[in-house]
Amino acid sequence: MTPFQWSLTLGAAAAAANVLGGLVILSRSHWNELLLKNFLALAAGFMLAATCLRMLPESFAISPHAPLMILAGYFLVHFFEHTLTPHFHFGEETHGDAMLHPAAGYSALLGLSIHTFFDGVSIASGFLISVPLGLLIFGAVVLHKLPEGFTVASIALASGRGQRGALGAACVLAAATLAGVLGMHALAPAVAYALPLSTGVTFYVAATDLMPEVNEERGWRMAVLVFVGVALFWLSEHALHQLGL
Ligand SMILES: [Zn+2]
Ligand SMILES: [Zn+2]
């Protein structure tokens, strides 16, 4: 497969996970919500390992501007998810009052769409450099895609957009992910900027969006799952190595 075929296939799988996450909240099953929380913890560990062990070193290797681009990626998410947006956090949106103003829901959707656009850019820039890098970044992205779709659908529900609006919001995130994949391949020479930028984005999502949600949970189970996520990254990297990739 060509890098483009890899990106398109796995980008579509990641986008589908957004829609699936949106469907979970519509199914209203407590068991599913717990499962999603576990994905969030696994994703945080896997993403932090992928960021520190693969994305940062590869970024420094391909661009002298990497430090600045990483910082820019980090603050890009901070700006769109938390500065421009009055209220946003991962997990179910339960306080309807914060979301009563429909504009708050739409700005959260915009912020998350920009973040998911970079989920797509991350996957595509990984495959433009190498298949194993692309696969590992895909792993980091796909693990948090279910909770992401769930989050955006719950925000749509809390701001009164109904079930159709909730599913629509999850589909917007899926489309933004695919747009990121296509955009990256259309501007493939920009990968030296795009990889460090999406490294900063991934770092933010893992450390600033996901970790606080993990730490909200009482008890040690969720906290331990973060380490399981790190181990999962290590195992994936080792397996790819064994496969000669
Ligand atoms: Zn809230
Ligand atoms: Zn994401």
Side-chain angles (χ1 to χ4, degrees), residues 87 89 92-95 98:
H87 177 84
H89 52 83
E92 183 170 11
E93 183 51 69
T94 45
H95 12 273

Side-chain angles (χ1 to χ4, degrees), residues 153-211:
S154 81
I155 291 171
L157 283 179
S159 54
R161 294 214 300 282
Q163 298 220 339
R164 188 172 292 188
L167 199 57
C171 290
V172 168
L173 294 195
T177 308
L178 284 175
V181 168
L182 296 175
M184 185 67 250
H185 279 280
L187 287 167
V191 70
Y193 293 94
L195 181 71
L197 199 64
S198 45
T199 301
V201 169
T202 310
F203 202 19
Y204 189 94
V205 173
T208 316
D209 277 336
L210 303 188
M211 282 304 279

Side-chain angles (χ1 to χ4, degrees), residues 96-161:
D97 54 318
M99 284 293 163
L100 261 176
H101 212 296
Y106 284 113
S107 62
L109 178 62
L110 171 73
L112 256 178
S113 300
I114 286 164
H115 148 184
T116 49
F117 176 82
F118 279 96
D119 286 341
V121 170
S122 301
I123 294 174
S125 58
F127 281 114
L128 281 169
I129 290 165
S130 73
V131 171
L133 182 66
L135 287 172
L136 290 168
I137 294 177
F138 166 73
V141 169
V142 79
L143 282 174
H144 82 279
K145 278 296 194 188
L146 283 173
E148 199 169 83
F150 178 88
T151 298
V152 80
S154 81
I155 291 171
L157 283 179
S159 54
R161 294 214 300 282

